[in-house]
């Protein structure tokens, strides 16, 4: 009977944790660049009834479930046009801008391209809303003077052509010029959320530069939260929570009945 208490209470606790994730997704439904998270559960120890431990039967009992981790979907969401030349949207899945904290030097990654021109001692640089520097293909801060922003947008335009033809040597040098770049990972689901729509790569995960990325200027990627899906998940979670509590209540009633029979 104690197992029933434990399993029901554990189920109610996991439902509350899942409800917290759903509520966080709903709270960020209007947050540009936000990617929804999904709870991943795993079964605790299961064992056979009236048979050996290794036997596979239809009569199984378990100790409930636990929330193993949260999974973030890095799919491409809807795009919205803006009037700011510093806004950029990524049209590739599992691709991120690389940004750096100027105070600590920590590197993080984000799909939110709502950037600004931040003034530093040696000029203007492309920064995030929290003041982090946007890095180029060489891992260096990207300058953001007005002509540089215009060049960045022109480089992203497929119809852009240079006015004058340059020599081959000059073209090789141009390839090394700073440009807005995005990075990807072999397993993006292992990225760690650090807040502000930013993610950190754990030890051993190396970013890979994306060649010819699809970056849309003067646009922002909207939140990836699907209201209808989140509402369905919320209803499922509420019902599962009520069933888990009902299991605890039933186990308590059975225990009280047994104690009353014992006199």
């Amino acid at each position: 009977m104690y197992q029933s208490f434990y399993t029901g209470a554990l189920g109610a606790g996991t439902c509350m944790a899942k409800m917290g994730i759903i509520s966080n997704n709903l709270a960020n439904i209007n947050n540009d660049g936000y990617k929804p998270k999904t709870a991943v559960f795993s079964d605790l120890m299961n064992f056979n009834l009236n048979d050996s431990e290794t036997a596979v039967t239809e009569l199984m009992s378990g100790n409930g479930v636990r929330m193993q981790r949260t999974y973030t979907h890095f799919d491409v969401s809807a795009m919205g046009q803006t009037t700011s030349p510093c806004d950029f949207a990524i049209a590739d899945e599992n691709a991120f801008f690389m940004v750096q904290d100027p105070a600590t030097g920590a590197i993080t990654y984000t799909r939110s391209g709502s950037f600004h021109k931040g003034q530093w001692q040696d000029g203007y640089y492309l920064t995030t809303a929290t003041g982090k520097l946007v890095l180029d293909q060489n891992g260096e801060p990207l300058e953001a003077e007005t002509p540089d922003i215009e060049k960045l947008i022109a480089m992203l335009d497929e119809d852009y052509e240079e006015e004058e033809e340059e020599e081959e040597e000059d073209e090789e040098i141009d390839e090394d010029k700073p440009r807005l770049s995005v990075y990807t990972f072999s397993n993006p689901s292992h990225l760690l959320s650090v807040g502000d729509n930013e993610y950190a790569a754990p030890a051993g995960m190396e970013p890979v530069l994306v060649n010819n990325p699809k970056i849309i200027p003067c646009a922002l990627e909207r939140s990836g939260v699907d209201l209808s899906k989140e509402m369905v998940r919320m209803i499922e979670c509420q019902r599962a929570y009520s069933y888990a509590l009902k299991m605890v209540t039933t186990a308590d009633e059975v225990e009280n009945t047994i104690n009353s029979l014992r006199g």
Side-chain angles (χ1 to χ4, degrees):
M1 202 56 60
Y2 293 106
Q3 186 67 33
S4 300
F5 281 113
Y6 175 77
T7 303
L10 191 61
T14 54
C15 288
M16 291 180 63
K18 183 178 180 179
M19 185 64 73
I21 296 174
I22 295 173
S23 62
N24 183 66
N25 289 339
L26 292 175
N28 288 278
I29 194 170
N30 293 321
N31 188 358
D32 292 335
Y34 177 80
K35 294 302 175 183
K37 296 175 175 56
T38 303
V40 178
F41 296 93
S42 61
D43 293 335
L44 295 179
M45 184 181 297
N46 293 318
F47 56 90
N48 290 287
L49 297 178
N50 303 327
D51 209 325
S52 62
E53 295 181 356
T54 57
V56 179
T57 66
E58 296 296 331
L59 200 58
M60 300 285 293
S61 179
N63 295 329
V65 297
R66 69 180 180 91
M67 190 171 72
Q68 185 176 7
R69 64 185 179 91
T70 57
Y71 177 81
T72 305
H73 303 272
F74 294 113
D75 300 331
V76 179
S77 303
M79 305 292 178
Q81 292 293 326
T82 68
T83 58
S84 174
C86 296
D87 288 341
F88 301 92
I90 303 176
D92 292 317
E93 295 182 356
N94 302 325
F96 309 86
F97 297 111
M98 180 186 289
V99 298
Q100 183 179 39
D101 190 335
T104 63
I107 300 293
T108 53
Y109 304 87
T110 181
R111 286 187 63 90
S112 177
S114 179
F115 300 141
H116 309 274
K117 291 195 301 180
Q119 184 177 7
W120 298 86
Q121 295 179 353
D122 55 344
Y124 288 88
Y125 289 88
L126 202 63
T127 65
T128 65
T130 57
K132 294 185 178 181
L133 297 168
V134 181
L135 305 185
D136 60 16
Q137 76 278 16
N138 300 316
E140 298 294 333
L142 199 58
E143 294 186 4
E145 296 289 351
T146 301
D148 296 321
I149 292 294
E150 294 176 353
K151 290 179 181 179
L152 286 176
I153 297 177
M155 291 173 65
L156 297 175
D157 189 355
E158 295 180 356
D159 298 330
Y160 171 71
E161 296 180 357
E162 298 182 355
E163 296 179 357
E164 298 179 358
E165 295 182 356
E166 299 178 353
E167 298 179 358
E168 293 183 359
E169 296 181 357
D170 294 333
E171 291 179 355
E172 293 179 357
I173 297 176
D174 288 342
E175 293 180 358
D176 295 331
K177 285 186 177 181
R179 64 178 184 271
L180 188 62
S181 304
V182 297
Y183 296 79
T184 187
F185 295 88
S186 58
N187 197 343
S189 62
H190 288 177
L191 292 175
L192 305 176
S193 179
V194 295
D196 294 327
N197 288 340
E198 297 178 8
Y199 305 88
M205 284 186 63
E206 295 296 332
V208 178
L209 181 65
V210 178
N211 296 322
N212 301 321
K214 298 177 182 177
I215 304 177
I216 304 175
C218 298
L220 288 176
E221 184 182 17
R222 301 307 185 190
S223 174
V225 177
D226 188 328
L227 180 60
S228 59
K229 289 183 179 180
E230 297 301 327
M231 293 301 294
V232 170
R233 291 172 181 169
M234 183 178 67
I235 295 173
E236 292 176 346
C237 189
Q238 289 176 336
R239 292 183 178 178
Y241 179 76
S242 63
Y243 293 153
L245 293 183
K246 183 64 176 179
M247 182 177 182
V248 175
T249 303
T250 302
D252 181 62
E253 293 175 353
V254 173
E255 187 73 19
N256 290 334
T257 303
I258 294 175
N259 291 335
S260 63
L261 292 176
R262 289 175 179 176

